[in-house]
Amino acid sequence: MATDQMDIDDSLYSRQRYVLGDSAMQQMAKSNVLISGLGGLGVEYSKNIILAGVKSVTLQDSKTASYKDLSTQFYLREEDVKAGRNRAEASLPRLAELNPYVSVKVSTEVLNEDTDLTDLKNYQCVILTEASLKLQLKVNAFCRSQTPQIKFVAADVYGVFCSAFCDFGENFEVVDQNGEEVQEVFVANITKANPGVVTCLENQMHGLESGNTVVFKEVEGMTKLNGTLQKVTVISPYAFTICDTSGSDYQAYVTGGRCIEIKQPAVLSYESLEMQLLNPSILVADLSKLDTPQNIHLGMYALHQYQEQYQGLPRIRNKEDADKLIEIAKLLNKKLVNTVEPMNTDLLTNLAYTSEGCFAPLTAALGGIVAQEGLKALTGKFTPLNQWFYLDASEVIPSDQSADSQAFQLRDDRYDGLRICIGDNLCQQLSKLHLFMVGCGAIGCEMLKNYALLGIGSSQGGLITITDNDLIEKSNLNRQFLFRPQHIQKPKSCTAAQSVLEINPALSIEAQQHKVCPQSEQKIYNDEFFESQDLVVNALDNVEARRYVDSRCVTNQRALLESGTMGAKGHVQVIVPHLTESYASQQDPQERDVPYCTLKSFPATIEHTIQWAREKFESLLSQKPAAFTKFWSSHQNPDSVVQELSEGHQLEGAIQAIKMLKQRPHSWADCVKISRVKFEKYFSNKAKNLLHAFPVDTKLKDGTPFWQSPKRPPTPLEYDISDPSHFQFVVSLSRLLANIYNVEVTNSDLEDDTVRKLIAETSVPDFVPSSKRIEVDESAKKPTESSSVGSDDIEQSAITLSTLIKSGKTQPGHLVAKPVIFEKDDDSNGHIDFMTAASNLRATMYSIENADRLKTKRIAGRIVPAIATTTAAVAGLVTVELVKIVKKSPLADYKNCFLNLALPSVIFSEPGAAERTQIKEDLSFTLWDKWEVQGNKDFKLKDFLKYFKDKYAFDASMVVHGVKMIYVPIMPGHMKRLPQTMIKLLKPSEGQKYVDLTVAFAGESDDDIPGPPVRYYFTK
């Protein structure tokens, strides 16, 4: 990675490339970073920056490892403490193996106010932690004095409070402020006005912001706009204004047009640390604690002064030292440009009480945020922090301030730093926790690291259970830091469990490889399993699985911590029984499916052509070969098939199987010829057929053109053997066909000259217009293939198969095809090559701008962009909430979070309270409630209904089990069920103790009243 222009290892960096882009990756590969202070925070952002792939990282630290370090520094071991090893030297081997492309070095020289800073000229970014304020001011001043200015970051965690400061110089260029995909919209109308108003087609939201710049293309009528850059002012989600279009040089708008966002760089100016100390610019994260950031700023400033004055931090939970800190803060407050009013003395006291400690979840959260700022400094990708960020987790401090201070003191063990913050009682509760985590990917790895540092499940009776059915891939190594190259193709859960035990050998952890789903609900993850857990954590990457785990937690009254990331964005949701709403309480708007006719015949964007290519891949290379093999494995005697077809019997799949058998390639030449004919079919005949059905001048009934935006008339492609995309399509498809049909391919077969010769020899059938109806209705669904066939087709298939038998083309080896299973991360398999070629040829046919292989891979592979920094930050914030759950905090203490490190934005909010449904004046329920009915072997349906009548004065109007209606009075025969036993009606499986039923009750009006879930026990 140290070369001027590196080749990006896509198998390692693919998910990160989709977030940062190749330009930023190249810039990082040329950059050197100094990280000073290898405590918990220092090792966290060292990990993240090394995973990202800079040129080199120098770890500067002169301190030796201590027991207190083990609370947060996950790359130190107890033997390092006992041997008195330097923290940087002890961490070096484990950090260096995170990324083979990054040079990791160590400096154990002291960095203080007297150090010569000349060596800092070798770095593009300097990140300090555990540094005195005097040293920070000196280094910051030196960085600002250089040309170009060295980017400076300082960050610290003291107890349950943390801070970060960024200074990227007076003229820092940001090349991409938000990292969002470039917006592209189709135009419905442009007014002749001052300013001109642009309206989007069919209420398509433009996604632009005022001040954005767009370029216009393909506008008819008002052609002067084409190719011009226009600054927009948003007036609604569907419209925006541009320049003055009222002049005579602007013709009236007729039709068509696209506007595409053009990202413009921005130049930002930063103030020095010295200036910002007195007049801080602070990012506010928690709107319910608006005064907190200013108070933490004052407290941190005072803490540095305290250390200088008293040569150390305030003693643990020492009131005298806390009062001294408050007095210093009062003096400093007078120096601030904007004094802090009111000054929060409780906050300052907590800062003093806990400053000797370090809360591991905060080091994880801040380490992710700060590392991303470091990457911004190197690349100009995303908007940097301006200029301070403060975060606290003071809610985890025991609320009883009179608690025995001995419970917070040092004991020379790995939990010292944690104990100072939360006390020994809460430490013990964490150690005895039963925690179930679903998923061991990127977030899962980060979570496990945090659990190890907190000692979750580390004492008698405590247990962490994890499950993940995936195997480790190389692309995981860029974010899932518990895995190494030697772990590829090993189970994620087992490997993660082994790796995390190196951080804390005392953990009790059980690794499983089951999916948590309805299929595992009865025997593995049943109610008894969930009831044995204190807490459930989701580390999943899909909504369906999240909803299922959420439903199981609601059913079994278990707290759930939910989180996720996408690129620089992340979220945290806290779900606590009887306090908060659940994950399913809120639903994201569903994405609109692309209409079938758009994909089939009228693509308008590159996304449409890529989806078409993916579906063509699945149909041609996976589904049809699978159906072919399935048919012939069920009908192994072709003669018997001929006999049945000759007798007029319809065999499911026979027509298609015989057609494929007839067309099956037997040589490399056959594969090439089939591929060349497919090119003609997909990219020439398709266009000719559309234009035959709908000539370019076709009008609709209302007189408007058929071919108007977003519809684009296609242009048939003429095969050009010298065109790389034409050639790539034939070669990539031929290779895939050879693999499916077990055709031997030699190196000479793959030579360009050989393939060109075969292509030239291919006889391409002439175009004949199709009589098939072309769907133009956007609401129409994809038709299902009809299983009924005519007698003529059956007879012809029998004749064809008989001919194939006679020609010896029905040998056992001919009746097998190996379906292609799509794998996006194996560049040698040709899958993405085929899709890229097919998509771009279709795009060219419709005059749509082509996409490169990387973009095609992301869209076709449905890849979720991801970076280690967001993952670390989210996992840290989740773990803060975990401690609150164990502490049994009130609702107001919990924090959901949405963050976007690209902006940067970190927004906390109180979780939504569980919605209460009022059935009648004195009776209500929430989603967490359920009514229980104790039955017995003789308990009848009428007894079940009487229970609700007696207890709640309600008549049941419906009893449903899953999708089965047990009792609906108006249904025929249901009244006869009243004397039947519940066991007979519900038919429980052997050993089943209960069922969950849905019961509705008759209201005063005609509407039924819904009740909570009802759990019916078959025996007491």
Side-chain angles (χ1 to χ4, degrees), residues 349-363:
T349 298
N350 283 332
L351 175 60
Y353 279 6
T354 66
S355 61
E356 274 279 9
C358 192
F359 189 47
L362 280 188
T363 65

Side-chain angles (χ1 to χ4, degrees), residues 718-729 756 841 844:
E718 185 174 338
Y719 189 84
D720 182 354
I721 205 162
S722 64
D723 188 312
S725 62
H726 295 204
F727 189 71
Q728 184 192 6
F729 174 82
R756 287 194 176 96
L841 287 169
T844 301

Side-chain angles (χ1 to χ4, degrees), residues 124 137 939:
Q124 284 71 49
L137 288 165
F939 204 77

Side-chain angles (χ1 to χ4, degrees), residues 183-191 197-208 214 216 232-241 253 256-260 592 709-710:
Q183 300 295 323
E184 179 176 350
V185 293
F186 290 96
V187 175
N189 187 47
I190 307 172
T191 63
V197 177
V198 180
T199 307
C200 300
L201 192 67
E202 296 175 346
N203 281 337
Q204 176 190 1
M205 290 194 287
H206 51 67
L208 299 168
V214 297
F216 282 88
V232 310
T233 301
V234 172
I235 56 176
S236 83
Y238 311 102
F240 54 88
T241 63
Y253 172 81
R258 295 181 296 140
C259 66
I260 303 154
R592 290 178 59 190
S709 183

Side-chain angles (χ1 to χ4, degrees), residues 395-680:
E395 295 87 356
V396 304
I397 299 173
S399 52
D400 183 6
Q401 291 296 334
S402 63
D404 181 10
S405 68
Q406 285 304 308
F408 298 83
Q409 301 301 321
L410 302 177
R411 300 186 183 182
D412 285 341
D413 66 21
R414 67 180 310 117
Y415 306 114
D416 276 349
L418 175 66
R419 189 179 293 108
I420 292 168
C421 300
I422 66 173
D424 193 61
N425 181 49
L426 196 45
C427 286
Q428 292 300 321
Q429 288 179 256
L430 290 168
S431 74
K432 296 173 183 175
L433 201 65
H434 276 236
L435 182 147
F436 179 43
M437 186 174 77
V438 189
C440 299
I443 289 180
C445 285
E446 294 287 342
M447 296 281 200
L448 284 173
K449 175 254 296 176
N450 296 338
Y451 302 160
L453 296 172
L454 294 180
I456 290 176
S458 61
S459 70
Q460 188 77 26
L463 178 65
I464 299 172
T465 305
I466 59 176
T467 189
D468 195 311
N469 66 327
D470 278 352
L471 301 180
I472 297 164
E473 305 288 347
K474 185 177 179 181
S475 62
N476 300 148
L477 305 184
N478 177 237
R479 304 169 315 287
Q480 300 172 22
F481 83 106
L482 294 180
F483 306 145
R484 298 290 178 272
Q486 65 267 27
H487 296 142
I488 290 172
Q489 288 305 300
K490 291 185 178 179
K492 285 186 175 180
S493 58
C494 301
T495 307
Q498 293 166 3
S499 296
V500 81
L501 285 172
E502 295 179 18
I503 299 175
N504 187 347
L507 296 186
S508 294
I509 184 164
E510 180 180 334
Q512 302 175 353
Q513 297 175 57
H514 310 297
K515 288 187 74 172
V516 183
C517 59
Q519 289 71 32
S520 61
E521 186 173 317
Q522 292 300 319
K523 294 186 177 179
I524 305 172
Y525 303 120
N526 51 26
D527 288 348
E528 288 81 1
F529 174 84
F530 273 91
E531 288 167 359
S532 71
Q533 305 301 318
D534 298 310
L535 182 63
V536 180
V537 179
N538 268 350
L540 294 161
D541 60 1
N542 71 87
V543 171
E544 183 182 355
R546 287 179 169 129
R547 287 190 180 280
Y548 177 74
V549 176
D550 175 68
S551 70
R552 300 292 289 132
C553 288
V554 170
T555 297
N556 292 285
Q557 314 276 298
R558 288 299 176 263
L560 172 67
L561 287 167
E562 163 60 38
S563 62
T565 70
M566 179 177 285
K569 298 172 184 173
H571 77 270
V572 176
Q573 184 180 2
V574 192
I575 299 161
V576 183
H578 304 290
L579 281 184
T580 73
E581 62 187 11
S582 75
Y583 177 77
S585 299
Q586 301 292 332
Q587 293 191 19
D588 293 330
Q590 287 189 332
E591 292 186 13
R592 290 178 59 190
D593 290 333
V594 179
Y596 165 71
C597 69
T598 299
L599 288 179
K600 180 75 173 172
S601 304
F602 308 110
T605 68
I606 193 66
E607 287 79 9
H608 296 160
T609 69
I610 292 172
Q611 188 172 335
W612 173 86
R614 171 68 194 267
E615 292 185 3
K616 190 61 66 178
F617 177 97
E618 293 294 338
S619 170
L620 180 66
L621 305 173
S622 182
Q623 294 165 1
K624 287 181 179 179
F628 176 86
T629 300
K630 180 181 178 181
F631 177 83
W632 290 115
S633 64
S634 302
H635 304 82
Q636 296 181 11
N637 188 338
D639 290 311
S640 298
V641 174
V642 172
Q643 180 68 31
E644 291 201 49
L645 293 176
S646 299
E647 294 172 357
H649 297 155
Q650 184 174 327
L651 301 178
E652 185 177 354
I655 306 292
Q656 180 67 35
I658 294 169
K659 180 181 177 182
M660 289 180 66
L661 184 62
K662 179 184 177 183
Q663 297 173 347
R664 178 195 176 102
H666 296 275
S667 66
W668 174 244
D670 290 346
C671 294
V672 172
K673 289 174 182 177
I674 290 172
S675 301
R676 170 62 185 90
V677 172
K678 291 291 185 186
F679 177 98
E680 200 72 14

Side-chain angles (χ1 to χ4, degrees), residues 918-986:
Q918 201 77 29
I919 302 178
K920 55 184 181 179
E921 187 176 344
D922 58 345
L923 188 61
S924 64
F925 68 93
T926 73
L927 66 101
W928 295 101
D929 293 316
K930 63 173 176 276
W931 290 344
E932 297 182 345
V933 180
Q934 299 287 342
N936 55 58
K937 64 183 178 63
D938 300 319
F939 204 77
K940 298 177 174 59
L941 174 60
K942 64 181 181 181
D943 300 323
F944 180 79
L945 302 178
K946 184 174 182 295
Y947 172 87
F948 297 105
K949 181 71 172 177
D950 292 346
K951 184 159 186 176
Y952 302 112
F954 277 132
D955 291 314
S957 57
M958 181 175 65
V959 180
V960 178
H961 178 216
V963 295
K964 181 183 178 183
M965 287 187 286
I966 304 299
Y967 174 71
V968 181
I970 61 171
M971 294 285 286
H974 277 219
M975 295 300 289
K976 295 179 181 179
R977 296 180 176 180
L978 290 172
Q980 295 182 26
T981 65
M982 294 294 282
I983 288 178
K984 181 178 180 180
L985 290 169
L986 295 169

